[in-house]
Amino acid sequence: MKSGSNLERVLAAGHFAVTAELGPPMSADAADVIKKAQMLKGCADAFNITDNQTAVVRMSSIAAAVLIQREGLEPVMQMVCRDRNRIAIQSDILGAAALGIKNCLCIAGDHQSFGSAGRLKGHPGSKNVYDVDSIQLCAILKGLRDDGVFQGGDPCADPPKMFIGAAWTPMGEPLEIRPRRLAKKARAGADFIQTQGIYDIKAFARAMEAVRNLGAHEQTAILAGIIVPKSAMMLKYMNSSVAGVTVPDEMIKRMTAAGNAAKKEAEARGEDEKAAKRARSRAQQAEGVKIAIELVQQCREIEGVRGVHVQAIEWERKVPEIVKGAGLLPRPDVR
Amino acid sequence: MTDEKAEQAGPAFEPKIIAYCCHYCAYTAADLAGSTRLQYAPNIRVIRVPCTGKIDVLHLLRAFEEGADGCYVAGCLDGDCHFINGNLRARKRTDYAKRILDAAGIDPERLEMFNMSAAMATTFAATADEFTERSRKLGPLFDGEKKDIRPGIVMRQPMTLSASNPPAKDE
Amino acid sequence: MIVAEQKPIGQVLDMIEPFEKILVAGCATCVTVCSTGGEKEVGILASALRLACAARGLKKSFDEITLTRQCDPEFIEPIKEFASQHDAVVSMACGVGVHFMAEHLPPMPVFPAVNTVFIGANPELGVWVERCAMCGDCILDKTGGICPIAGCAKTMLNGPCGGSNEGMCEVDPETPGAWARIVERMKQLGTLDKLDEIQPPKDWSTSRDGGPRKMIREDLKL
């Protein structure tokens, strides 16, 4: 065992792994994290704690990871290259390991300008770091864990034992470089991969075929990313505005149709405009859960996919229903 | 300005206006206006340029430094520039100079660009009248002491010397 | 060339507020080529400042000078006397020029009238783009002649990240992603395999992170 984490053991035992995402709050409120942890407990093998995602200040990944650990959940701490140089990164990894954290996802991190893209102000004027990139970060963690050496060359007496993760955007342009870059991440040290949200199963299957041709699926455990769709509007937005995410037209149509049908029924029942819209929204949410379940099942069919990573953004309560619907509960006990 | 106030202010303010006119259109239109005996405001001082594309931002600012209350550029109609796109360049430079004037605290309305053809004598006359009226309403650019902008020395390496705005000879 | 852009006139006015006799100093090198601080722009800025002061009723005078280079002492030397007839200098050179004027002129205030923005090229009239980040250890041999330090918002050495949309960078959809261009170029060159090699963390000590840099050529020193 490289780290002995639950996620590592589940994968090593040959189970289809499930991870889910838990976004820390924009506050110092531990109760918020604990509430989400209790909601999610038991529905996945490990839980990603995002690291200031979309460059918005949130409770630190390490701290929130420790909070959920106390609740009996296994965290995957995330570490972005945007905010720390190699000194701070390695220091935080030592600290996280000392606190019992065993999984770390290495990612570049959204650019600081994204913090102000939505309704928030963010910190677009901040200075980014990007001292190392995500692949170099994987290699640094691997060097620490396996060789007991810091990036600079000094020895580390009691090295942190992390199960190293990385992200992959199979549908990001330029497409032809993506499988090779995945293989590069695996070579650098990534033990597992969580992908960007998959909606276009056919395209993902093609990317996976290229990955298999490189043999990379045997070097790293690929968990397909499932972002639970909440509405047709969200799918349209993800398709047009989120880099590396493509949503097939049929899926958007299906979501729209589900909503419209519910709205018409409500209108036929003589409900007012507001109630009809609520009905539409509820129907789309239900359809989104159905779609997520289907996506999990379809990803499972693809050779080389070793698990799923379910993201229900600010909608964490839906995760247990989806995992259960996909027939992935209860989670295996591999202690 | 109400009539009463205008009376108090003494004789009506007569603005000084520099009109940079393209040889191929506005300047010829001015000729035509003259030969057809069209009346127009005597406030404008016409400066003939071979093309409005020759006019630099600095020429426009200098007009004000030298004591003009208003300044305009009169170039060919869009697509009719004798030098293909000189009037389009002039438009952009005029816009740029307007931004500088604004930043300097001077109403950019004091500067404008107009387009006309050589045959548009009445337009030339009307433009002169309308811009004079606009400048009259805006009032003098600087009053009293403010008027005396001290000319600067201009040097470049290898050392040569000139003056930024040598004193005007006629007045 | 070094690319600079003019500061708002209001900012310059604030700097020179306590002074009366001002020398506006241009530079005939990079800032002339990028149309920001050459003789012509000195003329325009001086003229704008004269008008602005007149509009505010401020009694100030502005002389103009354009040096061959503000970053070489031999060109500053001949203007020392002329400069010292003024209360302050407003330099339209890059930050280096402002610095050097302050270092080499007799003690007097030297103010920047431009913001030095990057080292770049001029692909078309009126457009300047950054092409080099002066990291001090060129890696263009590894990336098909396209720099990921200057061109990528995340300075990735093992790109591309997940954030390119049809070849455009997600940080600025108007800008082609450096890594999309690198992949395209290396494909053309038939060297895509080179990208499989993991680039180790960069030694940033050759960049600004190592403190102010200095280059010495012993053979040229006397």
Side-chain angles (χ1 to χ4, degrees):
Chain A
M1 284 280 136
K2 293 167 175 172
S3 68
S5 77
N6 186 56
L7 178 61
E8 182 181 7
R9 280 181 277 127
V10 166
L11 286 165
H15 296 291
F16 190 76
V18 176
T19 55
E21 195 150 292
L22 195 161
M26 287 176 69
S27 77
D29 182 14
D32 183 281
V33 180
I34 293 164
K35 203 176 106 199
K36 283 183 179 174
Q38 286 164 348
M39 204 188 290
L40 291 168
K41 191 170 181 178
C43 77
D45 306 310
F47 299 83
N48 279 50
I49 308 289
T50 49
D51 180 7
N52 299 298
Q53 81 263 32
T54 65
V56 168
V57 175
R58 288 169 185 276
M59 184 185 292
S60 79
S61 180
I62 300 176
V66 171
L67 288 174
I68 74 157
Q69 204 165 248
R70 285 189 200 149
E71 296 302 311
L73 284 75
E74 175 169 286
V76 176
M77 71 175 280
Q78 294 195 179
M79 177 69 77
V80 297
C81 302
R82 178 192 61 226
D83 305 327
R84 301 167 179 86
N85 68 5
R86 63 193 81 174
I87 300 171
I89 285 175
Q90 292 178 99
S91 158
D92 278 351
I93 293 292
L94 296 184
L99 290 165
I101 295 167
K102 296 195 175 89
N103 305 299
C104 178
L105 185 80
C106 306
I107 45 180
D110 293 319
H111 190 264
Q112 68 274 19
S113 61
F114 280 49
S116 56
R119 67 199 155 82
L120 296 169
K121 291 196 184 72
H123 295 83
S126 63
K127 187 177 196 299
N128 64 34
V129 181
Y130 296 118
D131 175 20
V132 295
D133 65 28
S134 49
I135 287 181
Q136 292 163 347
L137 179 52
C138 289
I140 289 173
L141 290 198
K142 188 176 157 67
L144 260 173
R145 181 189 69 197
D146 297 349
D147 309 327
V149 180
F150 288 110
Q151 191 275 327
D154 291 330
C156 177
D158 195 355
K161 299 291 185 192
M162 287 286 172
F163 196 48
I164 305 167
W168 181 40
T169 310
M171 262 72 89
E173 305 270 353
L175 275 178
E176 70 263 48
I177 202 74
R178 297 297 165 184
R180 299 172 83 130
R181 192 154 182 270
L182 172 83
K184 201 171 167 181
K185 284 193 172 176
R187 277 202 306 284
D191 301 307
F192 69 99
I193 296 287
Q194 290 170 326
T195 76
Q196 173 61 287
I198 308 291
Y199 293 108
D200 189 342
I201 287 288
K202 282 184 195 145
F204 179 53
R206 280 195 297 275
M208 281 304 296
E209 190 185 348
V211 167
R212 289 195 299 274
N213 290 338
L214 295 171
H217 65 305
E218 283 162 356
Q219 292 153 15
T220 187
I222 299 169
L223 315 185
I226 309 293
I227 302 177
V228 188
K230 228 173 174 173
S231 64
M233 215 193 329
M234 170 181 169
L235 282 175
K236 276 184 210 157
Y237 171 80
M238 302 257 310
N239 190 41
S240 64
S241 306
V242 179
V245 175
T246 45
V247 184
D249 282 345
E250 311 89 74
M251 191 178 284
I252 298 176
K253 279 188 197 139
R254 174 180 162 185
M255 200 64 155
T256 312
N260 289 348
K263 190 170 174 243
K264 270 202 188 120
E265 278 170 31
E267 280 162 355
R269 283 195 301 271
E271 289 177 26
D272 64 8
E273 174 80 8
K274 223 172 167 185
K277 276 187 176 167
R278 258 202 311 275
R280 180 176 65 188
S281 162
R282 266 199 309 274
Q284 291 200 348
Q285 291 181 1
E287 196 68 21
V289 169
K290 253 191 241 169
I291 288 173
I293 292 169
E294 287 168 26
L295 285 169
V296 170
Q297 286 163 338
Q298 286 165 335
C299 285
R300 201 174 176 181
E301 298 297 311
I302 299 170
E303 190 189 341
V305 175
R306 307 259 306 269
V308 284
H309 175 55
V310 183
Q311 292 160 268
I313 301 158
E314 292 301 324
W315 205 27
E316 280 92 347
R317 64 191 163 83
K318 283 288 164 189
V319 175
E321 186 182 332
I322 291 159
V323 179
K324 184 163 184 248
L328 293 167
L329 281 185
R331 299 307 308 146
D333 186 348
V334 287
R335 269 174 289 181
Chain B
M1 206 183 268
T2 61
D3 289 345
E4 199 180 317
K5 271 191 186 160
E7 265 170 42
Q8 282 169 359
F13 162 60
E14 289 301 335
K16 270 186 270 180
I17 293 162
I18 298 293
Y20 288 106
C21 294
C22 163
H23 166 81
Y24 290 93
C25 54
Y27 193 81
T28 311
D31 257 356
L32 187 59
S35 51
T36 50
R37 300 181 178 243
L38 282 172
Q39 293 283 327
Y40 60 86
N43 304 58
I44 66 165
R45 271 77 161 163
V46 172
I47 297 179
R48 180 170 65 155
V49 290
C51 169
T52 50
K54 184 73 192 88
I55 300 165
D56 192 83
V57 173
L58 192 52
H59 295 126
L60 302 174
L61 298 182
R62 279 279 192 269
F64 296 103
E65 266 195 78
E66 296 271 0
D69 301 295
C71 171
Y72 66 83
V73 175
C76 300
L77 296 171
D78 274 4
D80 281 355
C81 175
H82 191 77
F83 301 99
I84 301 166
N85 55 13
N87 53 350
L88 303 179
R89 291 180 192 282
R91 167 76 60 192
K92 291 203 160 186
R93 289 175 193 156
T94 310
D95 289 346
Y96 185 72
K98 271 169 162 288
R99 287 201 295 275
I100 292 179
L101 288 178
D102 197 25
I106 292 168
D107 195 333
E109 284 287 293
R110 292 184 183 272
L111 177 64
E112 206 55 79
M113 170 146 185
F114 300 103
N115 298 86
M116 61 190 71
S117 77
M120 294 162 77
T122 39
T123 304
F124 178 86
T127 302
D129 287 345
E130 283 162 23
F131 196 79
T132 301
E133 196 43 45
R134 182 204 287 196
S135 302
R136 188 173 282 130
K137 278 192 182 132
L138 287 167
L141 175 58
F142 303 126
D143 332 299
E145 283 182 24
K146 289 184 186 175
K147 261 194 312 212
D148 310 314
I149 293 180
R150 285 150 74 184
I153 296 168
V154 177
M155 295 175 93
R156 81 171 70 88
Q157 280 178 339
M159 290 300 186
T160 54
L161 183 65
S162 61
S164 65
N165 47 350
K169 288 194 184 76
D170 61 330
E171 191 54 53
Chain C
M1 86 189 99
I2 295 171
V3 179
E5 63 185 3
Q6 282 188 30
K7 279 182 178 287
I9 289 169
Q11 238 185 70
V12 179
L13 282 169
D14 287 345
M15 295 176 203
I16 59 170
E17 200 262 319
F19 306 99
E20 197 177 312
K21 288 196 65 168
I22 318 287
L23 178 61
V24 182
C27 179
T29 321
C30 311
V31 287
T32 296
V33 184
C34 70
S35 302
T36 297
E39 190 177 9
K40 184 167 169 176
E41 292 77 27
V42 166
I44 292 170
L45 179 65
S47 178
L49 289 171
R50 280 184 206 110
L51 289 169
C53 289
R56 289 162 174 76
L58 301 169
K59 286 275 164 214
K60 290 187 198 298
S61 72
F62 297 89
D63 290 333
E64 307 167 27
I65 189 162
T66 304
L67 283 77
T68 303
R69 280 198 294 280
Q70 289 191 21
C71 57
D72 269 323
E74 58 262 48
F75 298 111
I76 300 181
E77 188 61 39
I79 74 145
K80 276 184 176 171
E81 202 194 312
F82 180 58
S84 56
Q85 293 161 19
H86 299 81
D87 304 329
V89 174
V90 168
S91 167
M92 297 191 81
C94 69
V96 181
V98 181
H99 239 95
F100 239 57
M101 292 278 273
E103 278 175 36
H104 290 273
L105 288 177
M108 65 189 299
V110 180
F111 300 118
V114 306
N115 294 320
T116 310
V117 283
F118 51 79
I119 324 191
N122 185 200
E124 59 182 291
L125 216 56
V127 178
W128 290 269
V129 287
E130 182 166 19
R131 283 290 184 264
C132 173
M134 297 179 286
C135 75
D137 183 14
C138 192
I139 52 156
L140 285 171
D141 56 315
K142 295 187 175 69
T143 54
I146 294 160
C147 181
I149 313 272
C152 168
K154 300 180 183 176
T155 60
M156 296 196 86
L157 291 179
N158 295 284
C161 76
S164 75
N165 249 337
E166 287 164 17
M168 304 312 256
C169 174
E170 65 174 351
V171 175
D172 174 14
E174 309 267 287
T175 304
W179 273 101
R181 289 191 293 133
I182 291 170
V183 169
E184 190 52 38
R185 175 77 65 84
M186 305 228 355
K187 227 164 72 186
Q188 281 171 2
L189 299 173
T191 54
L192 207 53
D193 292 351
K194 270 183 142 183
L195 292 184
D196 289 338
E197 192 186 320
I198 296 170
Q199 295 303 322
K202 191 173 171 67
D203 178 356
W204 294 105
S205 66
T206 57
S207 84
R208 245 294 305 163
D209 300 71
R213 291 170 278 182
K214 194 176 189 177
M215 182 183 96
I216 296 172
R217 273 274 302 270
E218 285 298 341
D219 57 318
L220 295 176
K221 284 178 79 179
L222 271 181

